[in-house]
Amino acid sequence: MEDIALSYFVIKYFMEKSIKTYLKTAAKDYTSRSVNPPVVRASTILFKTMEELRKHQKDIAKGKDVEHWDYGRQGTQTSVQLQKMLRGLEEAYQVFLTPTGFAAVALSIMSICRPGDEIVISDGVYRPTQKLTDDLLKEFKIKAIWYNPNNFNDLKNKITKKTKLIYVENPGSNTFEMNELGKIVSLAKSKNIFTAIDNTWATAYFFKPLKLGFDISITSATKYYSGHSDVMAGTVAVNKNVYKKVWWYNHVSGYRLSSDDAYLIIRGLRTLDIRLEKHQENAKKIISFLKTQRKISKILYPYKPSSREFKLLKKYYSGASGLLSIIIKSKNKKSVYKFVNSLELFGIGYSWGGFESLAVYTDPVELGIRRYFKLEKNEHLVRLHIGLEDPKDLINDLRRSLKFIK
Ligand SMILES: *Cc1c(COP(=O)(O)O)cnc(C)c1O
């Protein structure tokens, strides 16, 4: 099979230009006069002759990097441009596109695991991932074994002859535990186990999992790639090791990202660097304020230089994003709700990664999705997404609303 992904184009780019320039110049349309690629909406793709159609089929079977597919479900000129762009960003062999971020999680796990296999999975993962592995996959005789993300030895001790996949989300969803990613990759390689990581929090802009040695890097493109809370998409970046497995499951699963949505992700990616740098800068300013507040007992975010989390961040990541949690100590839960309700600049709702700030109260212990994370009595967790508003206004909003906590 030909090396379809790290094409000369991408390699050349990384030798000569920075990622910031890459995001502006990839997926340009050089065939028409517009700066951006066209949105091609298509189910049927037409060929001039039967011979041309057959040749195209053969090229695809050989894994050639075709500019268009033979049927809309496989992709269009628009989604092919997004795939190319993401291959460069992730430095991946190939990137598969899915209609939501969660479909990217499902595609990854279903591509690798079969009845009788075990998945050793981080306790910090996103709730729907827990439902998929613990509830649905159990019915297919695939067992999820949970490890403590703060303790590498716990993970190591849970590996058996049946372990097929180590699945990580870093940092943990809502609870922000940091894994020892390098050790996980080395362990997996020594035992021929596949590795997948949900990298939505940092994105490939701050951390490239495949370069560290992960087989699969998952991103909910709904979040920072889109950046505007107006589209849903997911990406699965793979190395050569798992390419065929993911290609096969993708081929028979019917996942497809629409061309309009693929276009919006290309558009979002143009400013990914600028937005992420600003989310990071704003988050740092908000944290400087939050850590002076006595009603807040803990900030879950890798920011304290002496902490294990910060050291792990520095080891593997070039930056941190705008999502964090705060732990509030209060005997009065209603007053914590009042704090969230009183925020004027923070919307209340799920998802994140858009330009706007968000706040949501959540209790991972009560939801039954954490085996190792504990909240003490009278502790409450509020997740904050720090948006691109002026941080001074965000701090004033937080200061004013924190007064309601009793
Ligand atoms: C949001 C999210 C997903 C799912 O993405 P959707 O696009 O909402 O389906 C997966 N993983 C993480 C870490 C997320 O935050």
Side-chain angles (χ1 to χ4, degrees):
M1 189 175 287
E2 240 178 83
D3 264 29
I4 53 162
L6 274 181
S7 60
Y8 177 68
F9 173 75
V10 167
I11 290 167
K12 190 165 163 271
Y13 238 102
F14 277 100
M15 289 188 317
E16 292 173 0
K17 304 216 173 53
S18 90
I19 193 77
K20 289 173 189 280
T21 307
Y22 177 78
L23 291 170
K24 308 301 173 290
T25 51
K28 266 198 178 166
D29 181 18
Y30 296 109
T31 54
S32 74
R33 284 170 186 252
S34 63
V35 172
N36 294 298
V39 178
V40 177
R41 300 190 187 90
S43 52
T44 298
I45 309 286
L46 297 174
F47 292 84
K48 290 198 179 78
T49 61
M50 246 346 271
E51 286 79 3
E52 190 199 21
L53 188 152
R54 294 302 284 266
K55 179 176 179 304
H56 195 264
Q57 280 179 335
K58 281 183 191 156
D59 284 348
I60 288 174
K62 277 191 229 150
K64 268 202 180 165
D65 191 12
V66 292
E67 280 292 320
H68 63 90
W69 292 93
D70 53 15
Y71 186 54
R73 198 193 305 122
Q74 270 104 44
T76 64
Q77 282 101 317
T78 318
S79 59
V80 165
Q81 289 300 326
L82 173 58
Q83 280 181 296
K84 272 192 186 166
M85 200 172 176
L86 289 168
R87 284 196 312 247
L89 179 63
E90 295 260 10
E91 296 186 44
Y93 184 69
Q94 180 57 295
V95 180
F96 296 90
L97 306 174
T98 53
T100 65
F102 190 62
V105 173
L107 169 61
S108 303
I109 294 174
M110 301 306 282
S111 297
I112 303 294
C113 296
R114 293 295 175 268
D117 290 344
E118 291 176 0
I119 311 174
V120 176
I121 181 165
S122 164
D123 191 51
V125 306
Y126 177 62
R127 189 180 180 204
T129 309
Q130 302 222 0
K131 296 279 156 210
L132 170 71
T133 49
D134 242 2
D135 299 354
L136 180 74
L137 291 187
K138 196 161 74 187
E139 296 179 11
F140 291 87
K141 308 238 169 340
I142 297 167
K143 197 170 163 194
I145 296 164
W146 300 90
Y147 75 87
N148 180 351
N150 290 317
N151 180 354
F152 174 72
N153 282 332
D154 185 44
L155 157 63
K156 205 168 155 186
N157 292 336
K158 284 174 177 164
I159 302 290
T160 72
K161 287 210 160 54
K162 291 183 181 168
T163 311
K164 188 64 151 306
L165 174 69
I166 298 174
Y167 186 97
V168 184
E169 182 175 325
N170 208 60
S173 212
N174 296 309
T175 43
F176 296 88
E177 300 91 346
M178 296 285 279
N179 284 267
E180 301 201 38
L181 300 176
K183 284 190 187 171
I184 292 175
V185 168
S186 307
L187 172 71
K189 286 203 192 300
S190 74
K191 302 205 180 269
N192 281 325
I193 296 166
F194 294 109
T195 45
I197 180 167
D198 186 328
N199 190 35
T200 302
W201 180 80
T203 80
Y205 180 70
F206 282 142
F207 169 56
K208 296 189 199 312
L210 300 185
K211 271 182 95 176
L212 187 69
F214 276 91
D215 295 305
I216 300 179
S217 161
I218 299 158
T219 313
S220 165
T222 307
K223 313 287 168 60
Y224 287 122
Y225 284 179
S226 135
H228 293 78
S229 306
D230 55 359
V231 58
M232 299 193 80
T235 70
V236 180
V238 298
N239 62 16
K240 206 168 174 179
N241 202 16
V242 296
Y243 168 74
K244 276 192 185 168
K245 285 181 189 294
V246 181
W247 183 89
W248 168 238
Y249 189 81
N250 185 54
H251 190 67
V252 296
S253 67
Y255 287 139
R256 170 192 185 267
L257 183 65
S258 82
S259 297
D260 294 88
D261 292 350
Y263 180 82
L264 287 173
I265 302 299
I266 292 174
R267 182 174 155 137
L269 284 171
R270 300 285 188 218
T271 53
L272 178 70
D273 52 334
I274 297 163
R275 287 184 288 105
L276 271 175
E277 301 279 356
K278 192 72 185 167
H279 281 292
Q280 167 170 248
E281 191 187 310
N282 282 1
K284 277 189 185 156
K285 287 182 181 161
I286 304 294
I287 285 171
S288 307
F289 163 74
L290 292 172
K291 69 185 184 192
T292 64
Q293 299 301 300
R294 57 175 181 79
K295 286 172 182 167
I296 296 169
S297 59
K298 247 180 260 154
I299 300 167
L300 307 182
Y301 187 84
Y303 76 99
K304 223 189 250 171
S306 61
S307 68
R308 175 184 172 277
E309 288 74 22
F310 185 81
K311 284 174 191 152
L312 288 171
L313 180 87
K314 285 287 144 191
K315 195 163 174 187
Y316 302 114
Y317 292 64
S318 64
S321 73
L323 190 73
L324 58 110
S325 289
I326 54 178
I327 307 283
I328 293 167
K329 202 136 195 174
S330 165
K331 285 188 182 149
N332 187 331
K333 184 171 168 174
K334 276 200 179 136
S335 77
V336 181
Y337 275 18
K338 184 148 190 209
F339 155 68
V340 176
N341 294 344
S342 310
L343 290 164
E344 283 171 6
L345 297 175
F346 289 76
I348 301 172
Y350 290 121
S351 204
W352 46 276
F355 53 85
E356 79 288 13
S357 289
L358 295 168
V360 71
Y361 181 105
T362 181
D363 188 340
V365 182
E366 186 185 83
L367 289 170
I369 54 166
R370 287 291 182 271
R371 298 139 201 90
Y372 300 100
F373 177 84
K374 298 264 177 307
L375 283 173
E376 305 204 356
K377 201 165 174 243
N378 299 325
E379 279 191 341
H380 309 271
L381 189 152
V382 175
R383 188 180 74 177
L384 299 176
H385 178 247
I386 309 303
L388 303 175
E389 303 89 346
D390 190 325
K392 281 190 210 125
D393 293 330
L394 294 175
I395 289 170
N396 284 338
D397 197 20
L398 287 162
R399 181 182 287 122
R400 193 183 47 75
S401 303
L402 278 167
K403 295 206 173 96
F404 293 107
I405 296 173
K406 286 188 200 125

